[in-house]
């Protein structure tokens, strides 16, 4: 076979000086790197046909030339390829931190990067490739287990253990990613609290914080359970059946007394899309108030406001979806959980003292009261208290995967 070590030489179509090398010398085509080169050899001159359109070489000889050419190019471009691999490794490492489910992929960051095509250098493309590797790894273990079962092979127990270990790793990685996303959401929420609104922006500020917890003017028909962050208020609200956010009462209950009223958030059932016929299942209302305001009166305040919502819902007797489809009945004895998120100002404290037997939760600025005559549990918390409570509830999970709060 033709040996290129003596009979061929390589040339780039761009002259690259040894002191001025770099990825920039590679040709960029559709954001992918390409090296353009050609082979010169007296052996090829002797083997070319009269029309110079083909060579009188066997298929094995052509394959040998191509294989040797690849090795020569790889050696020639070693500095550039090392730079690409370094960049790919950095992206792989960052993706495994940001998306911990990729921790289940076997191998180190360097080893995963080595499996990538040199042209795969965008974060999105590497994400897709790592997703593909994760799926293929899972499918291999699953199929190996199924084959052992179907053929009654002696290694069935070992394959079962491998498959179960794979499922466990996938579950742990998925949970880690879910926890990581919670941490990022709390970081955004905390940064939003640092905003100092002026008079004209106070309403907008309230909307921003509301939108982080649950997008405005939406229902669970519009959003998946991953699209809201009601767990910041109460972890049980992460798993719901139906909720409304900034939606008119006329689209929430049948024939309401005040159809244009808009509770900030109302959650009619828990259970992640499982219809719940239990009339004793609580209905949750979340009401946001603009930070820094202190103009509350006995007639106009968030406590009276949520009680009015509860009264209207009970009188309506039936919760409906946005299209009028019945969800559940609302009885006089149906319990309500009302979260009021507002700065606990002196006037709000006066209102709480006048309207109910509110107690302060130890170590916080959160107040709560159970109104047995209305079957209403009311909790009043500041945005800061909501943040700190969410951090505390999730701290063990954050520490478990090595992130600080």
């Amino acid at each position: 076979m033709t040996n290129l070590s003596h009979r061929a030489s390589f040339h780039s179509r761009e002259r690259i000086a040894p002191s001025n090398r770099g990825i920039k010398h590679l040709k960029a085509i559709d954001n992918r790197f390409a090296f353009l080169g050609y082979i010169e050899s007296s052996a090829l001159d002797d083997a070319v046909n009269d029309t110079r359109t083909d060579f009188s070489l066997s298929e094995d000889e052509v394959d040998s030339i191509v294989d040797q050419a690849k090795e020569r190019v790889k050696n020639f471009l070693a500095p550039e390829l090392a730079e690409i691999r370094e960049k790919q490794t950095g992206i792989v490492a960052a993706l495994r931190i940001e998306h911990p489910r990729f921790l289940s992929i076997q191998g180190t960051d360097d080893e995963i990067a080595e499996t990538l095509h040199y042209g795969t250098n965008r974060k999105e493309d590497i994400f897709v490739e790592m997703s593909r590797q994760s799926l293929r790894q899972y499918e291999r273990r699953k199929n190996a287990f199924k084959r052992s079962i179907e053929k009654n092979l002696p290694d069935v127990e070992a394959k079962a253990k491998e498959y179960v270990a794979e499922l466990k790793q996938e579950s742990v990685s998925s949970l880690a990613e879910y926890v990581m996303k919670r941490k990022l959401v709390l970081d955004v929420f905390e940064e939003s609290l640092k905003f100092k609104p002026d008079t004209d922006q106070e309403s907008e500020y309230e909307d921003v914080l509301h939108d982080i917890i649950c997008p405005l003017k939406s229902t669970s028909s519009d959003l998946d359970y991953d699209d809201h962050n009601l767990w910041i208020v109460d972890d049980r609200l992460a798993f719901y059946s139906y909720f409304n956010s900034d939606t008119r009462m006329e689209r929430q209950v049948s024939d309401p007394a005040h159809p244009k009223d808009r509770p900030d958030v109302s959650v009619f059932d828990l259970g992640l899309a499982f219809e719940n016929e239990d009339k004793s299942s609580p209905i949750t209302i979340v009401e946001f108030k603009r930070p820094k305001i202190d103009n509350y009166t006995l007639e106009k305040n968030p406590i009276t406001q949520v009680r009015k919502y509860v009264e209207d819902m009970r009188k309506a007797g039936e919760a409906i979806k946005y299209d009028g489809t019945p969800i559940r009945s609302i009885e006089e004895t149906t319990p309500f959980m009302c979260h009021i998120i507002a700065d606990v100002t002196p006037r709000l404290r006066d209102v709480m003292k006048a309207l109910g037997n509110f107690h302060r939760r130890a170590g916080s600025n959160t107040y709560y009261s159970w109104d047995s005559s209305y079957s209403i549990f009311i909790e009043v918390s500041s945005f800061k208290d909501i943040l700190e409570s969410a951090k505390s509830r999730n701290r063990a999970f954050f520490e478990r995967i090595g992130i600080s709060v």
Side-chain angles (χ1 to χ4, degrees), residues 59-71:
E59 187 175 332
D60 287 342
E61 287 177 315
V62 172
D63 289 342
S64 176
I65 292 173
V66 171
D67 289 342
Q68 292 182 63
K70 287 179 180 178
E71 287 303 313

Side-chain angles (χ1 to χ4, degrees), residues 197-220:
D198 58 31
T199 303
D200 295 331
Q201 292 176 309
E202 285 182 349
S203 179
E204 178 183 347
Y205 181 38
E206 176 191 352
D207 288 349
V208 168
L209 295 171
H210 181 163
D211 212 39
I212 292 173
I213 293 175
C214 188
L216 291 159
K217 295 180 174 57
S218 61
T219 72
S220 52

Side-chain angles (χ1 to χ4, degrees), residues 95-329:
L95 285 172
R96 295 182 100 182
I97 293 173
E98 189 175 352
H99 302 278
R101 71 173 179 272
F102 290 140
L103 294 174
S104 64
I105 300 177
Q106 293 178 343
T108 64
D109 299 338
D110 288 332
E111 290 170 341
I112 294 173
E114 284 294 329
T115 67
L116 300 175
H117 189 281
Y118 283 109
T120 307
N121 50 73
R122 295 189 307 173
K123 183 177 180 180
E124 179 179 334
D125 295 333
I126 294 177
F127 180 96
V128 171
E129 181 57 35
M130 291 175 69
S131 298
R132 186 179 291 115
Q133 288 188 29
S134 178
L135 177 61
R136 287 174 177 172
Q137 177 178 295
Y138 168 78
E139 290 291 332
R140 281 196 300 270
R141 294 279 174 83
K142 182 183 73 173
N143 292 334
F145 173 59
K146 290 175 66 176
R147 282 195 299 271
S148 296
I149 290 289
E150 292 168 356
K151 297 181 180 180
N152 197 26
L153 298 178
D155 66 345
V156 63
E157 185 176 350
K159 295 299 183 184
K161 288 181 178 179
E162 289 181 8
Y163 184 38
V164 170
E166 181 76 16
L167 291 175
K168 182 178 179 180
Q169 183 61 44
E170 285 283 340
S171 299
V172 171
S173 299
S174 296
L175 178 59
E177 178 160 0
Y178 181 69
V179 172
M180 173 65 78
K181 287 183 177 179
R182 280 198 169 196
K183 175 61 169 61
L184 295 175
V185 168
L186 290 180
D187 287 345
V188 172
F189 189 76
E190 186 168 18
E191 286 299 313
S192 299
L193 292 181
K194 296 177 182 179
F195 176 68
K196 302 297 183 184
D198 58 31
T199 303
D200 295 331
Q201 292 176 309
E202 285 182 349
S203 179
E204 178 183 347
Y205 181 38
E206 176 191 352
D207 288 349
V208 168
L209 295 171
H210 181 163
D211 212 39
I212 292 173
I213 293 175
C214 188
L216 291 159
K217 295 180 174 57
S218 61
T219 72
S220 52
S221 296
D222 307 314
L223 304 174
D224 192 10
Y225 74 95
D226 281 335
D227 297 329
H228 73 84
N229 298 300
L230 287 167
W231 55 267
I232 295 177
V233 177
D234 187 333
D235 278 310
R236 290 170 295 183
L237 300 181
F239 309 101
Y240 61 85
S241 175
Y242 194 82
F243 77 84
N244 299 279
S245 178
D246 193 40
T247 305
R248 288 182 176 183
M249 192 73 80
E250 62 189 351
R251 300 185 69 191
Q252 299 193 41
V253 295
S254 300
D255 195 22
H258 301 89
K260 305 304 179 185
D261 282 355
R262 292 175 179 266
D264 284 334
V265 177
S266 58
V267 183
F268 288 126
D269 284 293
L270 303 176
L272 195 56
F274 290 100
E275 295 299 334
N276 193 339
E277 297 298 331
D278 184 3
K279 298 181 179 61
S280 66
S281 178
I283 292 174
T284 300
I285 294 175
V286 182
E287 189 66 25
F288 300 96
K289 290 291 140 189
R290 292 198 304 271
K292 311 303 180 186
I293 64 171
D294 193 22
N295 57 355
Y296 302 114
T297 66
L298 289 179
E299 293 74 29
K300 191 174 181 180
N301 61 78
I303 298 170
T304 300
Q305 188 175 4
V306 295
R307 283 178 172 173
K308 176 187 172 186
Y309 294 152
V310 171
E311 187 176 29
D312 281 1
M313 288 182 180
R314 285 211 174 109
K315 286 181 178 179
E318 183 180 56
I320 60 173
K321 292 185 178 181
Y322 68 98
D323 60 359
T325 304
I327 299 176
R328 59 170 290 176
S329 62

